Amino acid sequence: VEDSKFQKSYKDVIQLASVFSNNRSSVRSEKYDSLQIRIAQKDSFEPFLLEQIPMHQNLSEIDLRILKYLIFSLDDRLFLDIELDEVAEKFETTYEHVEVILDLLQNFEPVGVGARSFTDYLLIQIDRDLTAPPLALDFVKFDLENIATLSLKVLSKKYRISIKETQETISYIRNLNPVPILGDIFNPVQYIMPDAE
């Protein structure tokens, strides 16, 4: 999913979370704690991801090299920190080939590893959840920044669903993790959505 609007640093993600929160000091504290944990654990996810490679058979030598390169190109949020065309050029292959390998990486644990943006990560979570509300994808794609300021009535009217369905969709999105969680090492930052107007 390409969405430069949401290709934000972790700092920007936390600032977005603070828009949804009624307690900004709490968000700042969570931000500090999460960053400290991530700095301390930065190298812990690479072995964890590399251990999952043997579970995926029939990979060619070039596939394995690309997959490992993508793993080592993740930032401390586990988001991919390199453009796919750069990877394709480095390994003298096609963009589509690299994209297939990235799709494979995005099926590793934790959910969302290899996402290319904040929005991409939320969409991966929703896509892998069979219980996700039907309009959760659209809410994230088109109304993520506006959820905190739009009333339930506005969203309900826009998507032609009931207030109850709108609230359920917002509540579901609120409980998604803003960044991948490696086991119980990292604490998820949850959004606090506004009440119905």
Side-chain angles (χ1 to χ4, degrees), residues 5-22:
K5 187 175 182 180
F6 288 102
Q7 288 176 343
K8 297 173 178 285
S9 66
Y10 184 67
K11 177 180 178 183
D12 293 332
V13 172
I14 296 300
Q15 287 175 345
L16 179 60
S18 72
V19 171
F20 297 139
S21 175
N22 293 323

Side-chain angles (χ1 to χ4, degrees), residues 37-46 74-76 186:
I37 292 170
R38 287 176 183 282
I39 289 170
Q41 299 291 339
K42 183 169 175 24
D43 295 329
S44 67
F45 64 80
E46 289 176 354
L74 299 172
D75 65 18
D76 62 357
F186 304 139

Side-chain angles (χ1 to χ4, degrees), residues 101-115:
I101 303 302
L102 177 59
D103 287 342
L104 172 63
L105 175 59
Q106 290 178 346
N107 282 297
F108 280 30
E109 294 297 331
V111 175
V113 61

Side-chain angles (χ1 to χ4, degrees), residues 149-171:
T149 56
L150 290 178
S151 69
L152 293 179
K153 291 180 180 178
V154 172
L155 286 168
S156 176
K157 182 177 180 181
K158 177 177 179 179
Y159 290 97
R160 298 179 182 179
I161 57 176
S162 68
I163 294 291
K164 181 181 178 183
E165 289 173 298
T166 304
Q167 180 64 67
E168 288 172 352
T169 303
I170 290 176
S171 295

